[in-house]
Amino acid sequence: MAGVLDSVNQRTQLVGQNRLELLLFRLRGRQMYGINVFKVKEVLQCPKLSSIPRSRNVVRGVAHIRGETIPVIDLAMAIGLPGIPKEELANSFVIITEYNRKTQGFMVTGVDQIVNMNWEDILPPPRGAGSEVYLTAVTRIEDKLVEIIDVEKILAEVSPLREDVNEELVSRSAARVQAHLPVLVVDDSSVARRQMERCLTAIGMEVITRDDGKQALDYLKKITEDGSKASDHLSLVISDVEMPEMDGYTLVTRCKNDPALRDIFIMLHTSLSGVFNTAMVQKVGADEFMAKFSADELAEKVMEIIDRA
């Protein structure tokens, strides 16, 4: 499984087609889970782990992999399930991932296969699941339910990011963003939406949120059905890339092909990392790209976009 990303160039062809590839894996039990292949650097048999004093229980240790020291998180424990017993660690696997500019490993009991999916088949969690579940989406593969875990929620609990904008930026924003139109934030993770909303309101912006690309596109079409343009209603759109039903790349493509929507400034703001992102953004026609998550960088970028406008 170490060569899971050998065909990155081929996978970039999925951009703009509302498709993705999921790496399927198991935790404790038979339930299948999925993670976007673009976030996976490699999959390894669990290496030797060194303990970290006073670390959270879900961090089983650190591993030295290819010259880098990487924390390894027991993914089952992180979502409230029993962890992998110590005597079974040697038979487990570690999925090395890159999220929010950081590399970490997620320990799982088994890795299954890679499947090519359409984002339209990736659905939000059931409404009755509650706000505390660690899921951003679900899907079915061969009549089996596959759960897609909200990794950003896990990382926010294990290794919290600073979400406050520094006071100097807040002070400068007072004279820069007053009387500007709202920002539309599109993200399927409740944690990411909260982080961005907190950041943008700190610099005086009104924030409207939607959970996925389809909801955002429906909203944009609704506010422009009177013949107005999206830029008459919004300062800009900030969208995640990975979202159920319609991803961020497809949202950008649909907007840029619609005369009423094409003039709205769209920034993709995603935990997806890698050098291929620049090519992807250019291909779909997004106006800006930023890796998650730095409150100061996001605030500064939004103020810069508004100044340019």
Side-chain angles (χ1 to χ4, degrees):
M1 292 300 294
V4 70
L5 286 183
D6 286 345
S7 55
V8 164
N9 288 336
Q10 177 183 342
R11 292 189 167 99
T12 59
Q13 302 306 310
L14 301 176
V15 174
Q17 299 179 30
N18 209 37
R19 300 190 69 83
L20 79 158
E21 287 191 321
L22 285 179
L23 173 65
L24 303 184
F25 60 90
R26 294 182 302 279
L27 301 177
R28 304 296 304 278
R30 301 174 64 182
Q31 175 62 50
M32 196 70 72
Y33 299 88
I35 185 174
N36 191 333
V37 167
F38 268 134
K39 289 183 175 175
V40 180
K41 300 179 75 171
E42 59 183 316
V43 180
L44 306 171
Q45 198 81 33
C46 185
K48 181 180 179 180
L49 300 177
S50 301
S51 61
I52 308 176
R54 303 186 69 175
S55 64
R56 293 173 179 262
N57 291 338
V58 298
V59 181
R60 301 296 294 264
V62 295
H64 300 283
I65 301 172
R66 312 201 191 290
E68 189 175 5
T69 301
I70 298 171
V72 176
I73 298 168
D74 189 320
L75 195 50
M77 289 181 68
I79 65 172
L81 299 176
I84 298 174
K86 190 172 183 179
E87 61 272 17
E88 295 180 16
L89 291 183
N91 295 322
S92 63
F93 294 86
V94 175
I95 303 174
I96 308 298
T97 67
E98 191 170 346
Y99 278 86
N100 299 352
R101 315 182 192 199
K102 295 181 180 178
T103 300
Q104 54 278 308
F106 290 109
M107 185 183 297
V108 302
T109 57
V111 176
D112 193 69
Q113 62 178 315
I114 292 173
V115 294
N116 189 304
M117 299 285 296
N118 193 312
W119 275 111
E120 293 175 356
D121 298 322
I122 310 294
L123 303 174
R127 290 184 180 275
S131 60
E132 298 304 313
V133 296
Y134 291 85
L135 300 180
T136 57
V138 296
T139 189
R140 298 197 74 85
I141 298 174
E142 297 177 354
D143 293 327
K144 295 180 181 178
L145 181 70
V146 175
E147 298 181 353
I148 300 174
I149 294 175
D150 188 347
V151 176
E152 290 176 78
K153 179 177 174 66
I154 291 172
L155 294 178
E157 295 176 356
V158 174
S159 180
L161 296 169
R162 185 175 68 82
E163 298 181 9
D164 295 326
V165 180
N166 75 54
E167 292 183 5
E168 188 269 336
L169 273 175
V170 172
S171 177
R172 281 198 286 128
S173 71
R176 295 173 68 178
V177 302
Q178 285 184 354
H180 280 282
L181 297 170
V183 176
L184 174 61
V185 167
V186 190
D187 202 300
D188 62 322
S189 169
S190 59
V191 170
R193 290 196 303 273
R194 184 202 70 219
Q195 289 172 337
M196 286 188 282
E197 189 165 9
R198 184 171 181 175
C199 168
L200 295 173
T201 54
I203 59 170
M205 299 298 298
E206 180 184 348
V207 180
I208 299 167
T209 62
R210 290 295 182 269
D211 296 356
D212 59 57
K214 184 177 182 300
Q215 287 186 19
L217 186 63
D218 289 345
Y219 171 76
L220 290 168
K221 288 186 173 182
K222 182 176 179 60
I223 62 175
T224 57
E225 62 186 6
D226 60 357
S228 60
K229 293 185 177 182
S231 57
D232 296 330
H233 304 270
L234 299 167
S235 291
L236 71 151
V237 175
I238 303 175
S239 176
D240 188 21
V241 168
E242 293 184 286
M243 295 178 290
E245 298 197 76
M246 181 184 292
D247 69 5
Y249 294 128
T250 304
L251 172 63
V252 173
T253 300
R254 296 283 293 274
C255 287
K256 297 305 181 182
N257 289 332
D258 187 321
L261 309 181
R262 65 170 56 132
D263 65 333
I264 189 66
F265 192 103
I266 304 178
M267 179 170 74
L268 292 175
H269 185 244
T270 175
S271 56
L272 285 172
S273 303
V275 295
F276 47 80
N277 260 320
T278 300
M280 290 178 173
V281 170
Q282 291 174 347
K283 179 177 178 180
V284 300
D287 299 288
E288 188 66 74
F289 166 81
M290 176 175 284
K292 291 180 180 176
F293 172 78
S294 165
D296 290 343
E297 286 185 20
L298 180 59
E300 188 74 73
K301 178 60 69 174
V302 168
M303 289 191 290
E304 176 189 318
I305 291 167
I306 288 174
D307 284 347
R308 292 204 306 260

